[in-house]
Amino acid sequence: MTETAETPEGQVIDAVPENWVDTLAPAWTRPYLRLSRADRPIGTWLLLLPCWWGVLLAAASTSFKLFDLWIILGCALGAFLMRGAGCTWNDITDRDFDAQVARTKSRPIPSGQVTTKQAFVWLAVQTGVAACILFTFNWATVGLGILALLPVAVYPFAKRFTWWPQVFLGLAFNWGALLAWTAHTGSLAWPAVVLYVAGIAWTLFYDTIYAHQDKEDDALIGVKSTARLFGDNSLPWLRGFMVGAVLLLGLAVIIAMVPAQANVLALVLALAGAWGFGWHMLWQLRRLDIDDWENCLALFRSNRDAGLIPALFLLVAALL
């Protein structure tokens, strides 16, 4: 296969067009960066945003500290690394399935760009660097970070034994809400737990949309998902996940900020962020076509913007 300006050699089918990995990264690094999904940054955003929710809600209910800047940056670096490590682990465990699915057969392992042994080495490198960042936080946060490895390890196998693998993804992807809250406060508390559950509801929303891309191939190879489970009845379920995510996010704001006697304007702004979050998801539902994979992919990717809305409102609330 010859590399061209239009389609770089080895490019994954669902990569973002003209992404930095396929256009700027040195050729020898591209297979590894593709393995980490660096050419598809939405997953990093979806892992990072609950982290930012956690630290900013904690700051809005107490006060914004200088160390919070490092928590925000450290979570960004950690999200990039651990999303990459998680995707590497996912591709190792799913290499036989990926070879049978049109959208995933171009991934580095099934396409032969990277061997399984090389993938394990890359997994260790990413996890090791992420651990260095984790150990800059307090010991309660370190403990939570180590526990986070459990849902990450289990998730790739979930679609083999349950119709609800999206729940396991939610458990892994929203752990940062617990971690970042604890990095700010030094201990876990109920607002962080409620925020975590809100994130899981959000994950059920966006990843069900995502899973509709592969439902035909998944049916052929026996892989389970909420998209296959709900089928044509997906819209009512998605509405339920949307409502649950918004209500739980609002509840987390209330139980964090009201007992702390937070600034009234800050409380209103934080709740407005939850409201805007809900409106974005409603916008997605009004445009969703579960039988159009490009539509599903575009709406899935738009959840970066959905998650940024409460993050930005919480930031302003924390700075008041």
Side-chain angles (χ1 to χ4, degrees):
M1 182 176 178
T2 303
E3 185 170 342
T4 67
E6 292 76 20
T7 306
E9 184 177 359
Q11 185 179 69
V12 178
I13 290 172
D14 59 352
V16 175
E18 299 183 2
N19 65 82
W20 72 274
V21 172
D22 293 324
T23 57
L24 299 175
W28 69 270
T29 67
R30 292 177 187 175
Y32 297 98
L33 292 170
R34 290 167 184 150
L35 195 59
S36 298
R37 310 282 202 277
D39 53 347
R40 286 153 286 168
I42 180 58
T44 298
W45 279 108
L46 295 176
L47 186 61
L48 170 61
L49 287 166
C51 301
W52 283 357
W53 294 356
V55 64
L56 293 172
L57 179 58
S61 63
T62 55
S63 61
F64 194 89
K65 306 172 184 177
L66 185 60
F67 188 67
D68 291 335
L69 294 175
W70 168 241
I71 297 175
I72 290 169
L73 177 59
C75 284
L77 296 172
F80 177 80
L81 290 163
M82 287 309 298
R83 189 268 181 132
C87 289
T88 303
W89 172 242
N90 184 81
D91 282 10
I92 290 170
T93 60
D94 279 0
R95 57 192 183 275
D96 294 330
F97 285 133
D98 286 347
Q100 302 176 62
V101 177
R103 189 180 59 81
T104 58
K105 64 183 181 182
S106 59
R107 287 178 177 174
I109 296 178
S111 66
Q113 299 178 54
V114 174
T115 66
T116 303
K117 182 178 179 180
Q118 289 171 326
F120 270 115
V121 173
W122 181 232
L123 170 63
V125 169
Q126 293 172 97
T127 305
V129 177
C132 293
I133 296 171
L134 178 64
F135 277 94
T136 66
F137 300 131
N138 57 57
W139 286 109
T141 306
V142 171
L144 282 171
I146 294 170
L147 282 176
L149 295 175
L150 180 60
V152 171
V154 171
Y155 166 67
F157 302 100
K159 55 183 169 287
R160 309 179 193 196
F161 62 81
T162 177
W163 288 100
W164 294 84
Q166 280 68 28
V167 171
F168 289 83
L169 181 68
L171 291 170
F173 257 56
N174 295 283
W175 198 270
L178 306 175
L179 192 148
W181 170 282
T182 305
H184 173 94
T185 64
S187 62
L188 197 55
W190 280 112
V193 175
V194 175
L195 191 65
Y196 178 55
V197 180
I200 293 172
W202 180 39
T203 301
L204 281 161
F205 176 86
Y206 65 65
D207 205 59
T208 297
I209 293 173
Y210 182 81
H212 271 286
Q213 297 177 89
D214 299 329
K215 57 191 173 186
E216 293 179 1
D217 285 331
D218 286 349
L220 289 173
I221 62 178
V223 169
K224 298 177 174 67
S225 71
T226 48
R228 287 190 61 207
L229 177 64
F230 304 150
D232 293 337
N233 198 40
S234 290
L235 204 57
W237 283 95
L238 291 170
R239 287 196 193 99
F241 299 144
M242 174 189 70
V243 171
V246 174
L247 290 179
L248 288 165
L249 180 55
L251 179 61
V253 168
I254 291 169
I255 64 176
M257 299 182 68
V258 171
Q261 298 182 330
N263 182 301
V264 173
L265 179 57
L267 174 61
V268 170
L269 282 171
L271 290 172
W275 178 82
F277 177 58
W279 272 106
H280 194 288
M281 287 192 285
L282 182 61
W283 171 85
Q284 293 178 55
L285 288 182
R286 289 174 174 172
R287 285 154 180 79
L288 177 62
D289 179 353
I290 61 174
D291 295 317
D292 181 342
W293 75 268
E294 292 180 325
N295 171 270
C296 291
L297 181 59
L299 291 176
F300 166 73
R301 286 174 173 166
S302 77
N303 279 280
R304 178 202 64 176
D305 298 338
L308 277 171
I309 292 170
L312 291 171
F313 275 84
L314 285 169
L315 174 61
V316 176
L319 294 175
L320 287 177

